Amino acid sequence: MFKHIKDMEYTVHVDRPDPRFANLLLEQFGGPHGELKAAMQYFSQAVGCNNPQIRDMLHDIAAEELSHFEMVGECIAMLLGPTDKVSRDFPAIHMALLSGGPPITNCMGAPWTSAYIETSGDLYTDLASNSTAELRAKLIYERLLQQTDDAGVKDMVRFLLSREESHNFSFMQAIETLKGTGTDANFRDSEFSKKYMNLSTGVGDSRGPWNQGNGIQYEECPNEKYGGPAQYGKDRGADSKGEVGPGYNDKTRNNPQYTQPKPITPNVPGQENQMH
Amino acid sequence: MFKHIKDMEYTVHVDRPDPRFANLLLEQFGGPHGELKAAMQYFSQAVGCNNPQIRDMLHDIAAEELSHFEMVGECIAMLLGPTDKVSRDFPAIHMALLSGGPPITNCMGAPWTSAYIETSGDLYTDLASNSTAELRAKLIYERLLQQTDDAGVKDMVRFLLSREESHNFSFMQAIETLKGTGTDANFRDSEFSKKYMNLSTGVGDSRGPWNQGNGIQYEECPNEKYGGPAQYGKDRGADSKGEVGPGYNDKTRNNPQYTQPKPITPNVPGQENQMH
Amino acid sequence: MFKHIKDMEYTVHVDRPDPRFANLLLEQFGGPHGELKAAMQYFSQAVGCNNPQIRDMLHDIAAEELSHFEMVGECIAMLLGPTDKVSRDFPAIHMALLSGGPPITNCMGAPWTSAYIETSGDLYTDLASNSTAELRAKLIYERLLQQTDDAGVKDMVRFLLSREESHNFSFMQAIETLKGTGTDANFRDSEFSKKYMNLSTGVGDSRGPWNQGNGIQYEECPNEKYGGPAQYGKDRGADSKGEVGPGYNDKTRNNPQYTQPKPITPNVPGQENQMH
Amino acid sequence: MFKHIKDMEYTVHVDRPDPRFANLLLEQFGGPHGELKAAMQYFSQAVGCNNPQIRDMLHDIAAEELSHFEMVGECIAMLLGPTDKVSRDFPAIHMALLSGGPPITNCMGAPWTSAYIETSGDLYTDLASNSTAELRAKLIYERLLQQTDDAGVKDMVRFLLSREESHNFSFMQAIETLKGTGTDANFRDSEFSKKYMNLSTGVGDSRGPWNQGNGIQYEECPNEKYGGPAQYGKDRGADSKGEVGPGYNDKTRNNPQYTQPKPITPNVPGQENQMH
Amino acid sequence: MFKHIKDMEYTVHVDRPDPRFANLLLEQFGGPHGELKAAMQYFSQAVGCNNPQIRDMLHDIAAEELSHFEMVGECIAMLLGPTDKVSRDFPAIHMALLSGGPPITNCMGAPWTSAYIETSGDLYTDLASNSTAELRAKLIYERLLQQTDDAGVKDMVRFLLSREESHNFSFMQAIETLKGTGTDANFRDSEFSKKYMNLSTGVGDSRGPWNQGNGIQYEECPNEKYGGPAQYGKDRGADSKGEVGPGYNDKTRNNPQYTQPKPITPNVPGQENQMH
Amino acid sequence: MFKHIKDMEYTVHVDRPDPRFANLLLEQFGGPHGELKAAMQYFSQAVGCNNPQIRDMLHDIAAEELSHFEMVGECIAMLLGPTDKVSRDFPAIHMALLSGGPPITNCMGAPWTSAYIETSGDLYTDLASNSTAELRAKLIYERLLQQTDDAGVKDMVRFLLSREESHNFSFMQAIETLKGTGTDANFRDSEFSKKYMNLSTGVGDSRGPWNQGNGIQYEECPNEKYGGPAQYGKDRGADSKGEVGPGYNDKTRNNPQYTQPKPITPNVPGQENQMH
């Protein structure tokens, strides 16, 4: 259950209205790296989580992100100032039209969508996703700091920025306890998980630890070694590697004579296909 | 510039049509953790990147993700089979209605949106985001493997799964070369970046490395120590920490007598506010 | 600030997994009339609200809707059951693919969007909007009740249904205290606010209190009395009602000889228009 | 069937182009409280309506909203003025890029979506929803009136504003004829529909007719009385209210030893679960 | 102005409810090639159109598409049948949950969006876009015909299919009157408008009238002839074609030593950039 | 498979940063008529295409559009200039907040969506759709040309504009080879495909080749001849044309006594309908 307390988690103190900055700050209210996104990502992960300890952490941080969502919202509302009569060049006129509170959009007016949420249901992966969500949120706050001179607002933004670092750190620590589980199990144990395909070529081609060392094989033309045209046919077994040759054959989609096989679908009596 | 080569990067070999699985596989064609998302995320990062070495890596992997996008698409088209006349219980009837090719949606029909892309413009952060995108993609492939018996399709899915691991590894290696830059600079150096707020309470409260050790302070009621109602007023300076007291005062939004200050907006002659 | 308590507001008790109903229940998790929509609508109104009493009510109910969001989410997660290995006809296979927790979508997989939120910034109007949001939520729960036999789930749904009624009642009571303010001021005091335009004609035309009595005038062809083609020209003053006649004239867009007047835009030196 | 008549319902008379206001006016063309939303909401309700009298009213008003959609669109097109060559600071440059007609978006460029529509299929509820949609539309027009000095445009906006009032009134009158039906039947007849949960606490807690009187019970900690952790188990019958105790037990998700029960899904021969 | 007439444009005659087909038919109610899309596309073009004759045609066809929107909607509502109590395997259960009328979505539940609309503001182009929209709509109807046996429904679908052909024909005829105007003026008169770039290579490369004859030049490596790395520098004038050489130079983004030039932005006194 | 080459297809040469134009140019990066839309439309058609020759053309042009997507993206990144510290009136401040690369949105910030894609699975239709997509893209480039003075940027835009013409031409040529197939087969061969319904009436009604000649019949009131109220009943056979009369009857939805027939849904034992 959620309880709301009529205090901010941290002081929200605005010197005077600044509708231009109010509009920019929307990015962290209803934007892709903002507080609602963080709260909803961690909360929905908590709901699906069967590990009580990690679930506790997800609920702790989700509740704090909701509290940040409130701080950012209150700050926007105060920066917006009165909107009952605004001049023609009011820098947040769409908020004045909708009047009063902050809309749940980014700073360009795009509505918040749960498409922003990156969740997989695997704890190792989800905590990794969360740790990077915190980094992105921190960055936006760093850039927002450059866009205001209001000392109270700057103080609040610095607090939020620090909290993102704190959450990032917690997620990283928790990941350590999950090493070797989930997506981290049996990791990089196949032939193809140790290759690097150099598919962008020309002046500027570079080598670094990401494509050399650590048993990495560097390849240029994987299609010539492993690929060929897409085709139907008997499944390629372990001992039939050479069966499917490159180029045209009668099961190849590039072949003009190619005919698609019939799908296998159940027969439902009385529902035969009909032409019009 | 991009060139297309009329071979798959890796064999796409389908035994026979299976429209049900074709529909599930859409998740990796036009879904939030799918191949188009990966390709577009890395490509748009490459375009904005001023580090030529990292840019090369981003272009290499973006081009490979586009090649995977093609493999998944071809596989769906072949699994779908002929759609000119389908029975009433065809398991991918919306694809038959739109006929032929795979729509760029997830397996539930939600259109692909660039809201899926997690990019910040900071290299350290972006590579971290990318590494987790690869983990999520790997997971979806692991679950898809359980839903088909077609050996050719399984082989392709295992290839794609391995490639996600490979990309994850490359991104992690590249991050090492960027330690201490971008969001990783001056990290966790403030008072608030070392606290853990226990905002979810009750039976199940847990402690772990994420909220103890490493200089972490554990707190229950940050609002009582650092917060209070939102209010307007003189900026809180370093030496005026106690000035803004909790509860009602004449600048507090919770106060019924509270009046909002006027925003400062430029005067444009001849555009005074008017009532109707 | 928000605090999370590790108990449900009301018992969430599921007899056994039922993935089919888990999928339907998503409608109230991430759908247009669901709990997140209600929580976000009331919360964002609270943030923009300058009336402390109404703000308190909005925060009370928003916090409860978040608590319902949690109840519905927990219920879905339990109804879903284990998703590590599911059969080919698992009735919520997209949730198994994304594994574990409930995605923030409606029952058809459409992502939640803040476009669902109906807010205007006027208290009278917003409370009215909220009261109807509760009615719609109640209805969905009534229909969901018909789709499950699990006594625990039914009990929870009945609780939620009753709470929507309670919220509707609170909003209606609060509206009474705001009569004559906001949109309710100077209401229906013009000539045109008392007409009814019969723009749908034919067998079935009906009269009722919505188009007769209460000073309502019933009209069939408003265009012939008040309209005509759209046109530019001197503003229609109070005493020039007949000036703009119907049909073609030189300021009428329907006239082939009509020329658009130039817009008035500021001159910026050095930025003259150019053709290519 | 729809017929279009080449006159406006009411005079659309623009003095001269004003692209800045043209852009603002988009809010009522393709925005969440605009004319298309109203027309589509009432029209789709009419299509689903089995009460011929209410259906007639819905069709009347839907047709009028379509006529308003046209008026607003014509007004935007005329306010926009010629767009074949525009200066660099043209205040609606995205409309000039797309040239000519008004795009069906709000004033921030967000595409219109049917997610704006609030419909439930219950007449009592739908008419209530419609009545509030009219209030919100009226408000936007009131604010738009402050942003233009063009007497013709102001006259049109005042007409539209009055018509929203008229529609609101008609919907409210029609609701009276449906009292006690649909969602209004058996309303607020349970224990929980008469409680008020005070879930937002602190300085500013308020009492009013929404949480006192009328048989309302005021409660602070519903979770302690009615809740507890979510759990599986035998359905809670009428006589087993105390069976499910708070805290850990072997069916509780907060319990680390907790095991999820198996879902009951139909067996499909030949489709057993497989590991990869 | 729009008038609604309480008759269908053409008989809508349903034998008995068929919720499965009702769901499929949604594709033409609120889908990307459906009736609302057509109506909104032509209507918004009409609003922006300064040619009275073409505007008349656009209004005629838009009004007819709205009438088709109604026919499809009525047909869905009748095919849906009563939804007050439906069995657990009702094939359109989301419509039963939302009860009664057809939601404005496609057959997969994706909300209608104005992103479906293809409009450019150029008459020649818009009529061409419209003609193809009609072809796509016709196709969906052809496929829908195969999915129902209800003679009344089939008759209505055939009518709608024929009307799309009729509209396509009208648009094609109207285009003839605009030859050489708009986008058709000065068409294909540059060097690059007569080349074909063979950027997909391998077995399957084909030649046809689209890449040979008609003065078409066929090229394989445009980058080597016309391209190179992106760079800053003096504008390439007519006589300086060779100035920008391929490979690294000090203005090239691929060059590690490359430094971005400063943007030219106006100075606003008192708003100097600040670091935090 | 896709390969990326580290050269542009055509010179991208920017004189100096111009963030205002960078923002406008987003329209062709992530907008509805932009390069990504074209690339994804043709690529997904190619994947679904069973005609190897047309498939080759679709892949050629899709790969080129991806190369244009890159050119436009590089151009935006260079026009944006450094974003580490920007002034308060930086004309693309949302891109500075997200820092560095171009977001995949249109110039108003609306995220790219696959709802932009117009595909039907019929080759004749798809090529026609593609040809008009090229016209729209060309138009946006023509208008963008008027908004910049940078000779390098203008040169690139003119190249892109010419390429759209070239693609349009190729698609038109290819259509010729498909005449009489797909949607072009049995075209306009029914009674109703040769009528023109004059549903927009009033001053301005026009005649032209779109509604006269070519065997076109011109009609005003189709509902009176072919329509009537929607109703259930025995299917209207060829010889029973007059059976369904206009006005009220017992199967008509406009009739207050009308009762909906029961839908035919399969019985599933043990899942009878239940009331709550």
Side-chain angles (χ1 to χ4, degrees), chain A residues 121-184:
Chain A
D122 174 73
L123 279 188
Y124 183 87
T125 300
D126 283 353
L127 298 185
S129 298
N130 298 354
S131 74
T132 67
E134 297 289 345
L135 294 180
R136 295 193 299 275
K138 180 197 167 191
L139 269 165
I140 308 290
Y141 283 126
E142 285 183 343
R143 291 172 190 141
L144 283 168
L145 266 184
Q146 299 178 25
Q147 297 288 328
T148 178
D149 298 321
D150 187 310
V153 174
K154 286 173 92 90
D155 192 51
M156 177 195 81
V157 172
R158 276 196 210 96
F159 171 79
L160 294 169
L161 185 160
S162 295
R163 297 306 300 148
E164 312 298 10
E165 292 182 350
S166 163
H167 297 163
N168 171 279
F169 188 79
S170 288
F171 287 129
M172 294 301 279
Q173 291 292 314
I175 289 171
E176 290 302 311
T177 69
L178 298 167
K179 282 277 181 199
T181 73
T183 42
D184 199 45

Side-chain angles (χ1 to χ4, degrees), chain E residues 218-273:
Chain E
Y218 190 75
E219 298 200 3
E220 303 268 350
C221 298
N223 58 311
E224 294 176 9
K225 289 174 73 173
Y226 314 113
Q231 57 191 283
Y232 283 107
K234 193 178 156 300
D235 299 326
R236 216 181 55 148
D239 52 4
S240 62
K241 212 151 195 168
E243 181 194 353
V244 179
Y248 282 165
N249 70 25
D250 61 354
K251 298 164 181 174
T252 305
R253 296 187 81 216
N254 283 353
N255 181 352
Q257 272 71 51
Y258 154 78
T259 320
Q260 277 191 298
K262 287 284 171 205
I264 300 177
T265 47
N267 288 316
V268 176
Q271 289 198 348
E272 288 74 29
N273 293 328

